[in-house]
Amino acid sequence: MISEKDKETYAEQGFLILRQAFAQTRIATLLEGIEHLIDKGLAGECELGWIDRERRLPSRTGHLLNPDKYHPAFADWIDADLAPHLEALICGSGVRHSLFGMLSSGGGKPYTQKWHRDLGRPGDPN
């Protein structure tokens, strides 16, 4: 869980990195959810951008909680693993998470993005 030192770090720096915060079993279920999403995208059941369809490499994908992309693993992770950390860190209880996306790279295509998409200067490609 989030310690008092973690809260201080977050307050001072505006972010917190937690290493090994999730069990390997959770990571495995998330990977299964992503494989299911890729299968749906390849079948035309949902809209996905692609780095390489043949190699099953999706591009950045958002709105994973929407019905067309949803998999129970995503919601389970948010509810059981992520929300308690966020609640301890920022507001006590009742955290609401409405946007959930996957950042990805591969196939020789690097992925770069600023901390938030609104932080770039006009004309800045990142």
Side-chain angles (χ1 to χ4, degrees):
M1 284 307 294
I2 303 296
S3 69
E4 288 303 315
K5 175 123 176 69
D6 292 336
K7 291 178 186 179
E8 291 171 14
T9 299
Y10 177 75
E12 291 170 7
Q13 298 181 10
F15 67 92
L16 180 66
I17 297 173
L18 298 175
R19 305 228 185 262
Q20 300 178 346
F22 309 112
Q24 288 298 314
T25 54
R26 177 64 72 201
I27 293 168
T29 60
L30 287 169
L31 288 172
E32 288 172 20
I34 295 301
E35 289 297 324
H36 184 258
L37 174 67
I38 290 170
D39 290 342
K40 287 178 75 171
L42 289 171
E45 297 173 18
C46 69
E47 179 80 24
L48 291 182
W50 295 96
I51 293 171
D52 187 330
R53 287 178 71 94
E54 287 72 39
R55 292 175 54 204
R56 298 175 57 89
L57 297 172
S59 187
R60 177 187 172 139
T61 303
H63 305 290
L64 296 180
L65 297 179
N66 285 1
D68 66 331
K69 297 176 184 169
Y70 180 82
H71 188 277
F74 305 149
D76 291 345
W77 172 70
I78 290 170
D79 185 49
D81 293 337
L82 187 59
H85 289 303
L86 293 175
E87 289 173 353
L89 187 62
I90 60 176
C91 69
S93 66
V95 168
R96 185 181 132 185
H97 197 294
S98 60
L99 296 176
F100 176 43
M102 174 178 63
L103 307 179
S104 53
S105 65
K109 179 181 175 184
Y111 184 88
T112 59
Q113 180 167 330
K114 302 219 182 299
W115 178 245
H116 192 273
R117 66 182 177 271
D118 296 342
L119 296 179
R121 294 182 309 271
D124 185 352
N126 292 324

